[in-house]
Amino acid sequence: MLVLSALLLAGCASKTNTHTAQERQTPLTKASPAHVSQAWSMFTESAASHYGVDERLISAIISVESGGDPDVVSRSNAVGLMQIKASTAGREVYRAQGRHGQPSTRELRDPAKNIDIGTAYIHLLQQRALAGIRDPETLRYATIVSYANGAGALLRTFSRDRDRAIAMINDMSPDEFRRHVQTRHPAAQAPRYLWKVNTVYRTI
């Protein structure tokens, strides 16, 4: 478990996009992903049930994004446990819920609200942009990559037509999809992020 934590921390330090946290100690340096998952289980369980999202996936994203530290803020102002950017994912969730504007930094620092918004965003990804992906494992992989780098960037590696892209994904096995991300995704960090979150997912 210590090796896993070290690998995850080394990978996180190399991230340079929205989800790059400030360089500082987080609970992940002292606690395993399973411990982080347990620490926030009351909120992840509720959000998972409400939105129909895999609770282990929520917990894995929290472990990789913030190490379970609700006060982490990235260089590009992604905030909290699930590293939500108010102007992108936060605004999209608000719009889907019929609300105006975007969440405040104070709201995103609140663990319960951060997890609720992050899980709502995962739900939107799976029910809209990634809708139609049939294999559950492939859907999980696609969700992880889309959470970090956007669904559009992922789908365009297959086709600019969403329906054709989904059909091409459905013709692949999960391993073939993973290899496609490794070789075709324009963001160098995408395959690393997929590996990190999926590795934690399997340990929780």
Side-chain angles (χ1 to χ4, degrees):
M1 190 60 69
L2 290 174
V3 173
L4 172 61
S5 296
L7 286 171
L8 291 172
L9 285 168
C12 286
S14 68
K15 293 172 70 177
T16 57
N17 77 334
T18 298
H19 296 281
T20 304
Q22 294 174 346
E23 293 184 1
R24 68 196 198 103
Q25 296 291 325
T26 71
L28 190 54
T29 63
K30 299 178 182 178
S32 70
H35 182 83
V36 172
S37 172
Q38 292 167 5
W40 302 110
S41 61
M42 180 170 63
F43 299 135
T44 57
E45 182 178 354
S46 175
S49 176
H50 182 73
Y51 293 106
V53 170
D54 183 350
E55 184 182 0
R56 287 170 63 200
L57 178 57
I58 303 168
S59 296
I61 288 174
I62 290 171
S63 290
V64 171
E65 289 288 355
S66 67
D69 184 347
D71 294 320
V72 169
V73 179
S74 78
R75 297 185 189 96
S76 57
N77 208 34
V79 181
L81 289 171
M82 298 188 74
Q83 288 291 276
I84 305 297
K85 242 193 136 173
S87 60
T88 54
R91 185 180 292 274
E92 188 171 341
V93 168
Y94 263 35
R95 186 183 304 117
Q97 295 176 343
R99 304 166 71 182
H100 297 293
Q102 63 189 44
S104 65
T105 298
R106 181 178 179 181
E107 183 176 7
L108 292 177
R109 285 182 182 273
D110 181 300
K113 292 179 180 178
N114 186 283
I115 290 172
D116 184 81
I117 292 170
T119 306
Y121 182 60
I122 293 172
H123 173 78
L124 288 176
L125 288 172
Q126 294 183 338
Q127 296 300 313
R128 295 185 179 182
L130 305 176
I133 297 178
R134 293 192 295 265
D135 184 272
E137 187 174 0
T138 301
L139 177 60
R140 184 174 80 245
Y141 292 168
T143 302
I144 292 168
V145 174
S146 298
Y147 188 88
N149 296 105
L154 171 64
L155 295 177
R156 284 193 296 274
T157 66
F158 294 93
S159 171
R160 291 193 173 274
D161 179 81
R162 195 201 80 89
D163 291 341
R164 176 168 171 73
I166 296 296
M168 292 173 70
I169 292 171
N170 282 331
D171 284 339
M172 292 181 167
S173 69
D175 281 345
E176 288 171 335
F177 177 85
R178 181 175 47 79
R179 288 194 294 271
H180 176 93
V181 171
Q182 290 175 336
T183 59
R184 299 291 299 276
H185 201 287
Q189 70 114 7
R192 295 196 301 270
Y193 185 79
L194 174 57
W195 177 83
K196 286 184 287 187
V197 175
N198 199 50
T199 299
V200 172
Y201 180 90
R202 291 174 174 173
T203 68
I204 293 175

